[in-house]
Amino acid sequence: MDYKNLYSIRMRASIGDRHISGGERIVIRQKIGRTVEELLERAMRKGCTRDQIAVTVEPLGDALIHRLTALDVITLSTQNMQAGRDAASRVLQSAGVSAQAVHAAISHLSAGAALSGGNMRGAMIIDAQRGERLEPDRERGVRASRFDWSEEASEKIFNQLASLGLTHFRTREALALATKVASAPGIVAELCWSDDPDYTTGYVASPGLGYLRFPILKNIEDAKGGRAFFVDKDVLDMDMLLRYLEKEATLITEIGECRAAMEPDAYFNLRTLPTCR
Ligand code: WAQ
Ligand code: MG
């Protein structure tokens, strides 16, 4: 892949004010046409022929492109939502998020984190110690943008995840987003679950722990979802963080380790064992 002549392609489909479908890629010039088509098809499948589909093709030119290695992936399986949230909370706390901040994030996400009570388009930014919300726009939130897999890494992660039975495009997309977020300045961890009523899997991600999936973080048919980016307020430079998340291009060129599912207790036992080499 030629890292110089890359293009950011972003699609957003809406009906009136309502966001219906979105997606984005970073590709070489020769792939622009095909990629625009793929993103359009994705919007059409969601029934977005009635209103508006906007596709932006932006040359990244000589802009610096950060190259990242994807977070390691593991799934921690539980029987129900409460056990899932308890395990996610424990992981977040071991990543350095206070119990208070975890509680705040889960309450906001369950209730609908936007000021108006619905889902946000972007993420909350939450002080990992005090649990206070810091994002400048509490209706929209902060959107991570301009990230993708390189062609080689895309193929590798597809195969790795598929070998574990993880074939949904959401998993690859969320892993890419979480990898960018975890690499951002001031980030401690992230908590996410989908707003899609049929998709109950969510995750916790952090630079040190990787990407931990939880198959039941909410009940089926619940259309409330969102993201919380936990930050270390002592080192946070909000402008720098927002610039990195929204504007600076990141390409994932290496994949991490992908492990089979296990129960949370088995995972926590593993992690507290002394490492013998
Ligand atoms: N930046 C920040 N927040 C975003 C972004 C973004 N680019 N895109 C979505 N969000 C927020 C927004 O509040 C959405 O309502 C919420 O996240 C959920 O978005 O199998 O599919 O696209 O490992 O519904 C996680 C598990 C799936 C995947 C997450 O999220 C797996 C998912 P969705
Ligand atoms: Mg969604």
Side-chain angles (χ1 to χ4, degrees):
M1 198 154 173
D2 175 1
Y3 293 103
K4 289 231 177 66
N5 294 303
L6 294 176
Y7 293 76
S8 163
I9 306 188
R10 305 187 296 278
M11 176 277 286
R12 189 177 172 200
S14 49
I15 297 180
D17 284 342
R18 201 155 64 93
H19 171 83
I20 300 296
S21 171
E24 66 167 275
R25 303 287 312 281
I26 293 176
V27 298
I28 53 173
R29 190 180 228 297
Q30 292 78 356
K31 289 264 168 88
I32 294 175
R34 196 197 306 173
T35 306
V36 168
E37 233 170 81
E38 281 168 10
L39 289 170
L40 281 176
E41 264 169 36
R42 179 166 167 173
M44 308 280 216
R45 269 202 307 276
K46 283 256 198 141
C48 290
T49 43
R50 279 174 290 164
D51 216 314
Q52 173 171 279
I53 305 173
V55 180
T56 307
V57 178
E58 173 194 54
L60 293 172
D62 292 333
L64 171 71
I65 294 167
H66 303 273
R67 293 194 216 176
L68 304 176
T69 297
L71 297 172
D72 293 344
V73 177
I74 191 166
T75 300
L76 302 188
S77 306
T78 59
Q79 298 295 322
N80 56 52
M81 180 188 85
Q82 197 50 52
R85 289 191 180 178
D86 289 348
S89 162
R90 196 166 159 194
V91 171
L92 281 167
Q93 289 179 60
S94 76
V97 181
S98 73
Q100 187 186 342
V102 173
H103 180 77
I106 291 180
S107 314
H108 289 309
L109 291 182
S110 319
L115 261 189
S116 57
N119 292 319
M120 300 169 89
R121 286 233 307 119
M124 296 180 281
I125 295 185
I126 295 186
D127 176 345
Q129 286 316 311
R130 293 158 160 270
E132 281 161 10
R133 288 173 67 167
L134 305 173
E135 74 276 11
D137 181 342
R138 290 181 60 163
E139 183 61 28
R140 174 183 182 272
V142 173
R143 279 186 66 83
S145 181
R146 295 175 174 81
F147 58 88
D148 199 358
W149 302 91
S150 71
E151 271 173 61
E152 298 82 354
S154 172
E155 204 181 309
K156 283 188 196 157
I157 199 67
F158 184 97
N159 291 330
Q160 276 292 314
L161 292 174
S163 74
L164 296 170
L166 303 174
T167 52
H168 207 294
F169 74 90
R170 284 182 187 278
T171 307
R172 298 185 298 274
E173 273 195 6
L175 175 58
L177 187 152
T179 297
K180 175 167 192 179
V181 171
S183 73
I187 291 286
V188 174
E190 178 187 355
L191 169 66
C192 161
W193 65 80
S194 180
D195 53 25
D196 187 321
D198 298 325
Y199 204 82
T200 61
T201 304
Y203 66 85
V204 168
S206 90
L209 298 175
Y211 180 89
L212 295 97
R213 310 174 64 248
F214 300 87
I216 321 178
L217 272 194
K218 69 169 189 185
N219 291 318
I220 193 94
E221 286 176 12
D222 180 353
K224 293 273 162 62
R227 284 181 155 90
F229 299 163
F230 297 96
V231 294
D232 179 348
K233 212 179 166 191
D234 293 340
V235 304
L236 180 71
D237 176 333
M238 185 65 90
D239 291 341
M240 196 192 233
L241 174 64
L242 296 185
R243 194 179 337 116
Y244 182 85
L245 290 174
E246 297 175 342
K247 297 284 176 338
E248 293 182 20
T250 53
L251 201 58
I252 304 176
T253 53
E254 302 288 337
I255 70 169
E257 208 181 298
C258 301
R259 291 204 282 170
M262 59 171 78
E263 289 186 1
D265 281 345
Y267 173 79
F268 291 120
N269 287 337
L270 263 184
R271 291 200 55 249
T272 48
L273 281 177
T275 36
C276 319
R277 284 174 196 271

